[in-house]
Amino acid sequence: MKTASRPVKKTQKSFADLPPIRVRREPPTVNEAVAAAQDLADDVEQQVEIAAGLMGLPADEVRPHVLAAKKARPERAPERILTHASPSRAPRTVVVERRTRPTVVIERRGRPLDPRR
């Protein structure tokens, strides 16, 4: 006859018992930094500053790469999505267009204007 053994509880390890976490830091490549900068800003000078900040390089070294990538980046065409057709209807086409909005400038004042003056 076999006896059922009780499950043994495992002791929880505390964070002090674990080895320290090692984080690997690699700066992005030029292409990665330029692509991120293009997605974040439309102005070329802002893209240069963003890419230089991400890579930790001076802006003068990054500027030629940003300018070369600006010429190579094609304009996005609208996406076309086809839906399934039923026997009684033809397939429908949906066109998705992305529009850029102008930047909004909000002027902040230190105090509200006094209407009594």
Side-chain angles (χ1 to χ4, degrees):
M1 179 169 158
K2 289 187 178 181
T3 59
S5 62
R6 292 187 335 173
V8 178
K9 288 187 176 180
K10 293 184 180 179
T11 59
Q12 290 183 343
K13 291 185 177 181
S14 68
F15 288 113
D17 296 339
L18 297 175
I21 297 173
R22 291 188 292 173
V23 178
R24 204 169 133 185
R25 185 190 181 303
E26 290 183 20
T29 64
V30 174
N31 293 337
E32 292 171 343
V34 169
Q38 285 179 339
D39 288 340
L40 291 173
D42 292 330
D43 183 38
V44 176
E45 287 303 314
Q46 290 177 348
Q47 291 176 6
V48 170
E49 289 178 20
I50 292 170
L54 289 172
M55 295 176 57
L57 294 175
D60 295 334
E61 290 184 30
V62 179
R63 184 171 283 112
H65 298 286
V66 172
L67 294 175
K70 183 179 190 303
K71 295 175 188 173
R73 186 177 184 187
E75 190 63 33
R76 291 180 74 169
E79 299 175 12
R80 294 194 176 269
I81 303 170
L82 293 175
T83 60
H84 295 288
S86 64
S88 62
R89 293 192 297 179
R92 295 181 294 162
T93 303
V94 178
V95 178
V96 179
E97 295 181 356
R98 289 181 173 82
R99 291 189 225 163
T100 59
R101 295 185 179 177
T103 56
V104 178
V105 178
I106 299 173
E107 182 179 326
R108 292 191 166 205
R109 296 183 178 149
R111 293 186 257 170
L113 294 177
D114 190 7
R116 291 178 276 173
R117 290 185 187 182

